[in-house]
Amino acid sequence: MRNRLALITAEPTVADLAAIDREWPLIAAELDLLDAEITLLYAEDHGGPTALDWRRLRRAEARVTRAAETTARTDPRRAA
């Protein structure tokens, strides 16, 4: 039990922080995509999504794709 507690309260290592830093562009792009999808869902209750809502969704999807490709190129563990 004591080892489990140590794992939970342990600070992130330098390697952990570096991994988060490498993946942050993908995380941010995925958050933008989620926000665009939520906007579309709420728009259904207010007359439907606008052309701008759909454009925002397509751009967010493209950003996720680009960020995923970049992350795969810079992180050898994700290349497989």
Side-chain angles (χ1 to χ4, degrees):
M1 181 71 167
R2 186 175 180 135
N3 287 339
R4 286 186 186 174
L5 268 177
L7 290 176
I8 292 171
T9 59
E11 296 293 323
T13 65
V14 173
D16 293 336
L17 295 173
I20 292 169
D21 194 43
R22 277 191 309 274
E23 291 188 25
W24 189 252
L26 178 58
I27 294 167
E30 288 174 337
L31 288 172
D32 288 344
L33 176 59
L34 180 61
D35 189 48
E37 291 170 339
I38 290 170
T39 299
L40 286 178
L41 290 173
Y42 279 115
E44 290 295 329
D45 295 336
H46 299 95
T50 66
L52 186 59
D53 293 332
W54 289 110
R55 181 179 178 186
R56 182 174 176 221
L57 178 69
R58 287 190 306 273
R59 286 183 174 200
E61 289 170 337
R63 272 194 307 274
V64 168
T65 301
R66 285 190 308 272
E69 290 170 351
T70 301
T71 301
R73 281 195 305 266
T74 60
D75 188 355
R77 294 173 294 166
R78 287 189 168 262

